[in-house]
Amino acid sequence: MFKRVFKKIKNLIFRTTCSIWFEKTLHEIPNPVAPDVDISIEYLMEDISRLSDWLKTHHAVFPWLYVRKELESAQANKHIYACILHQDVIIGYVKIGMNNVYVHDFDKVVHFPSKVAFVYDIFVLPEYRGKHIASYVLIKIIQFLKERGFEKLWCHIEGWNHASIKTFQKIGFKEKASIRFSRLFGFPFFLQNSYKPLKSLEAFWEAHYGMS
Ligand SMILES: CC(C)(COP(=O)(O)OP(=O)(O)OC[C@H]1O[C@@H](n2cnc3c(N)ncnc32)[C@H](O)[C@@H]1OP(=O)(O)O)[C@@H](O)C(=O)NCCC(=O)NCCS
């Protein structure tokens, strides 16, 4: 209890996170290679309750899966939640955002340019990992998004997460920047590539695509 309160106070005073931001242009799509397990994908668009219920039940073991603000922004902005199913049972998922996305690291809703989608979470249950499920599902998602007029897909990954970095790089995601977010006594600020101040994520898009 004391530890939790201390952590909360510490976070209120100073908080910092750093992620690598990756982009994939959707013009070239690698061929999907079937994973080692028989899976199917169910895309939830209007009603994401099947996955949000699952996230709630797995929250105790994997606390980062279920974030209330993230789900609210997903519902309000019609995000696409892809359930990964094995024998009709959920074994993983991919959360795909567009327009406005609550980014947990920043505790903030970020506006994305049109035709740009953002994978803000991907998860495969531990016993199903290493069977090429995530790479296969991401390629299918890229096809799905391209058919719906999207041109770019982004993701952000913390530097320690080698499994995730390898998964995304393998299918052609390219590193574009590292973005550090810090908050000191409630004042947020961003640094790009270690030293360059960045006003906001929206300013990052503007510099990148010449639009916001
Ligand atoms: C990241 C994650 C989704 C990958 O799922 P997966 O189905 O196991 O990935 P794949 O089997 O498709 O692997 C894709 C590539 O990454 C490699 N890879 C996967 N896990 C790895 C690991 N722990 N270490 C090194 N390489 C790894 C695979 O070997 C494969 O490359 P290969 O084709 O050369 O063999 C899964 O590890 C996971 O759910 N992690 C916890 C949640 C998480 O960190 N999500 C990412 C948030 S940004």
Side-chain angles (χ1 to χ4, degrees), residues 164-183:
S164 189
I165 291 175
K166 187 149 181 224
T167 302
F168 281 89
Q169 280 182 331
K170 238 190 121 166
I171 57 169
F173 278 76
K174 301 275 182 263
E175 183 173 334
K176 289 294 170 183
S178 93
I179 298 180
R180 174 169 291 282
F181 169 75
S182 305
R183 198 172 54 202

Side-chain angles (χ1 to χ4, degrees), residues 122-124 129-135 161 163-164 166-167 170:
I122 176 166
F123 179 83
V124 172
R129 289 181 195 162
K131 299 181 190 303
H132 300 107
I133 292 175
S135 34
N161 197 340
S164 189
K166 187 149 181 224
T167 302
K170 238 190 121 166

